[in-house]
Amino acid sequence: MSDTIEGLKGYRPQENRAADSEHQIEGEATLNSGSNSEIDPITLREFQTYLKQCKKIVALVGAGLSVSSGLPTFRGTQGLWKNYNIIDLATPDAFYIDPGLVWQFYSWRRSHALEAEPNDGHRTLAKLALNPNVEFTTITQNVDGLLIRAGHPKKKLYEIHGSLFDLKCTSFMCTYVDHDNFTDPLTKELADSRFEHVTVFAGAGGEGDRDRPPIESPQFAPIKQIPESELPLCPLCNLLLRPGVVWFGESLPLKLITGVDRFIEQGEKVDLILVIGTSGTVYPANSYVDRVRFKGGKVAIFNTDIELLIMAGEDRDTWGFQGDAAKLLPIALAPLL
């Protein structure tokens, strides 16, 4: 990675602040390639010194990691799709009332996730998962499938909120599940869903010059009325399929949560939890951080927003690295890659 990181800040735990200037930090040449870099080399050195001793690591990943890939976090003003609040669409009730509307929203999300490319942060975690000298797993709250596409082994990945590319039957009598279905669109009627706005062609006259690339107007593309027969259907029972994500009001998958619990609680203690692109303050994310701390592990946070207490170095055994996690992770985790 050769880009200079602008506006990047890092702080270290209060203890062990002595500098060891004779030793090169892994990734230091990259960090110091520009004059505006703000990362503290002592912080990075202390973190990497501890990192090299770690035998068991868990990563907790949130939406912030995929921002550099062009995907929205769906927070604040990004929490709308065609003036619909996504919280209102991501529920079992919404799907029951209007499955066509909900499928158009998720078809749009699938298309945009497929257009996105894994960034250096995704690839870094995938490389770390392949390190035979470290017991490592990733818990992701993201449903975009970018870690899988980056080469992260599935057996070391817990997608606790599901995946846009998993489909499951809505019938209680059918157990059909289709994993990693990257077909886009899933049906002919969903083909136009990838456009959130009306697409126009800029030309001299008539209907426009279609040799020129299309542009999106501010006007939202209309919602289509799609009959259930034209939506994704189960190949076994011919009833509706639904996106394989965890909707508001639904429980997290017990099998996945049990797997995470076993990784944290059984065997050697977790030496380090990496909190990436998330505040880590919502259950169950906050419980994982607290449990690692309780057992003597340390915490490293990679996010654009970090609590002032952590950034002031007043939270014991916690490093806060503020900036773009996609740029920061390859440098911070370099000793294990």
Side-chain angles (χ1 to χ4, degrees):
M1 181 179 174
S2 58
D3 294 336
T4 301
I5 297 181
E6 303 290 346
L8 196 59
K9 300 177 182 178
Y11 288 84
R12 58 195 184 280
Q14 285 184 314
E15 62 180 3
N16 301 326
R17 291 178 180 254
D20 184 3
S21 59
E22 296 180 0
H23 296 284
Q24 174 80 14
I25 306 170
E26 300 202 35
E28 185 175 27
T30 303
L31 285 169
N32 293 336
S33 60
S35 59
N36 294 326
S37 177
E38 296 180 17
I39 193 169
D40 182 355
I42 299 176
T43 299
L44 186 61
R45 183 180 299 113
E46 291 179 357
F47 170 73
Q48 290 184 337
T49 298
Y50 180 74
L51 181 68
K52 293 174 185 178
Q53 305 169 13
C54 294
K55 298 299 181 184
K56 190 173 182 179
I57 302 173
V58 60
L60 176 64
V61 176
L65 179 60
S66 295
V67 169
S68 289
S69 295
L71 298 183
T73 62
F74 291 114
R75 299 191 191 110
T77 57
Q78 294 183 329
L80 297 175
W81 174 76
K82 296 187 178 183
N83 282 337
Y84 285 91
N85 190 317
I86 67 162
I87 295 178
D88 296 331
L89 297 177
T91 68
D93 287 344
F95 189 79
Y96 176 80
I97 294 170
D98 194 344
L101 170 63
V102 174
W103 257 122
Q104 287 175 77
F105 168 59
Y106 278 97
S107 183
W108 172 78
R109 291 191 66 183
R110 284 168 57 92
S111 294
H112 280 257
L114 288 173
E115 290 173 357
E117 293 294 334
N119 59 49
D120 288 341
H122 296 112
R123 286 186 282 269
T124 295
L125 293 178
K127 290 179 181 178
L128 182 55
L130 297 174
N131 185 334
N133 299 315
V134 179
E135 192 177 355
F136 176 76
T137 199
T138 297
I139 307 163
T140 181
Q141 302 169 93
N142 297 342
V143 297
D144 53 39
L146 289 178
L147 279 167
I148 292 292
R149 290 170 56 198
H152 196 298
K154 292 204 71 171
K155 65 181 180 180
K156 295 186 177 182
L157 178 65
Y158 292 93
E159 296 174 302
I160 61 173
H161 289 171
S163 170
L164 292 170
F165 304 102
D166 289 350
L167 309 173
K168 58 184 182 181
C169 186
T170 55
S171 172
F172 291 107
M173 305 299 293
C174 183
T175 58
Y176 178 79
V177 178
D178 186 12
H179 293 290
D180 299 329
N181 184 328
F182 297 105
T183 302
D184 184 50
L186 287 168
T187 70
K188 181 180 178 180
E189 287 296 319
L190 292 174
D192 295 335
S193 301
R194 62 186 299 264
F195 300 109
E196 184 178 9
H197 296 84
V198 173
T199 302
V200 296
F201 294 84
E207 295 185 359
D209 184 356
R210 292 184 176 268
D211 291 332
R212 299 184 182 183
I215 59 175
E216 284 192 342
S217 77
Q219 180 182 353
F220 289 120
I223 301 294
K224 297 169 63 176
Q225 295 297 321
I226 304 178
E228 290 190 11
S229 60
E230 300 298 327
L231 295 174
L233 300 177
C234 177
L236 299 183
C237 68
N238 208 40
L239 292 180
L240 271 176
L241 291 174
R242 57 161 282 181
V245 298
V246 179
W247 281 329
F248 292 103
E250 294 184 322
S251 300
L252 298 179
L254 180 60
K255 183 178 179 180
L256 295 184
I257 298 303
T258 300
V260 173
D261 289 342
R262 286 175 178 168
F263 183 86
I264 293 177
E265 300 295 339
Q266 296 181 2
E268 298 295 325
K269 75 174 179 68
V270 175
D271 299 301
L272 177 67
I273 182 168
L274 308 170
V275 182
I276 303 165
T278 177
S279 63
T281 58
V282 179
Y283 183 85
N286 58 348
S287 71
Y288 298 142
V289 175
D290 291 341
R291 285 157 66 185
V292 169
R293 278 191 174 126
F294 180 76
K295 290 179 171 292
K298 299 189 179 185
V299 182
I301 302 174
F302 302 81
N303 201 14
T304 53
D305 297 314
I306 300 178
E307 295 179 9
L308 292 177
L309 183 69
I310 296 172
M311 295 308 297
E314 297 178 6
D315 197 339
R316 183 179 177 85
D317 293 333
T318 302
W319 291 273
F321 295 97
Q322 190 169 22
D324 183 355
K327 295 181 178 180
L328 187 54
L329 284 173
I331 297 168
L333 302 182
L336 297 185
L337 304 181

